[in-house]
Amino acid sequence: MPELPEVETVVRDLKRSGLEGRRIQTVSLLWPRTAATPAPEDFKRELKGRRIRELSRRAKFIVMRLEPQGWLLVHLRMTGRLDLMPQETPPDPYDRVTLTLDDGRSLRFKDIRKFGRWYF
C-alpha cells in the first residue's frame, strides 16, 4: 500500500505535469467497480465536462477539487497508479479508469489487483 510520502509525490507530480486547470472531456470506466460512488453510469455523467481546479492530498486520498462544485477522491490502495499520457497511447491491460482531457492527454488509473477506488 502506498504510504503518505508516496501519495504526496503522486500529487506533486500531477501538479507539475499541469493537471490542474484541465477539463475532463470523457470518462471511461474499464473496471466499473473502481467507481465506489455513485453508480458507474452516474459517475461518468457527473465527471464529464468538469474542470480539475486543484489537487491535494488528505491522508492517503488524492483529492481533486472540481469546477463546478464537486470533489473527486482517489485511493490507490495496494497497486494503483495515476499516469498522464498522450491520448494516442495504446491502452494497458491494467487500465481501470481513463479521463480524456482537453489538452490531448489522458489521465489513466492502472491497478493490477483492482483494489483502488474512486469517489465522486
Side-chain angles (χ1 to χ4, degrees):
M1 175 178 296
E3 297 299 327
L4 286 176
E6 294 166 312
V7 176
E8 181 65 29
T9 300
V10 169
V11 170
R12 288 180 183 181
D13 288 346
L14 291 173
K15 282 183 171 187
R16 254 181 271 146
S17 299
L19 183 60
E20 291 177 317
R22 302 279 45 102
R23 186 172 300 279
I24 300 167
Q25 291 184 322
T26 61
V27 179
S28 298
L29 274 175
L30 305 166
W31 181 256
R33 288 178 34 191
T34 302
T37 179
E41 289 307 313
D42 296 335
F43 182 86
K44 292 192 296 188
R45 187 182 66 249
E46 289 292 332
L47 284 181
K48 186 177 178 182
R50 291 184 187 258
R51 183 176 303 277
I52 300 169
R53 182 71 178 164
E54 180 184 1
L55 288 166
S56 61
R57 177 192 59 80
R58 179 72 176 164
K60 291 185 181 182
F61 283 93
I62 297 167
V63 179
M64 297 181 205
R65 185 167 64 106
L66 304 175
E67 197 176 78
Q69 186 177 353
W71 299 89
L72 179 62
L73 305 177
V74 177
H75 199 297
L76 302 174
R77 301 274 172 104
M78 291 178 74
T79 57
R81 282 182 51 177
L82 284 171
D83 294 317
L84 266 173
M85 56 189 53
Q87 288 177 13
E88 308 84 43
T89 306
D92 184 282
Y94 300 113
D95 285 351
R96 305 300 176 210
V97 179
T98 299
L99 303 181
T100 305
L101 306 172
D102 63 352
D103 65 351
R105 297 183 296 172
S106 59
L107 179 65
R108 296 189 185 176
F109 179 64
K110 299 175 196 284
D111 190 12
I112 293 170
R113 301 196 53 196
K114 301 179 183 174
F115 291 155
R117 293 293 178 264
W118 290 42
Y119 305 85
F120 174 73

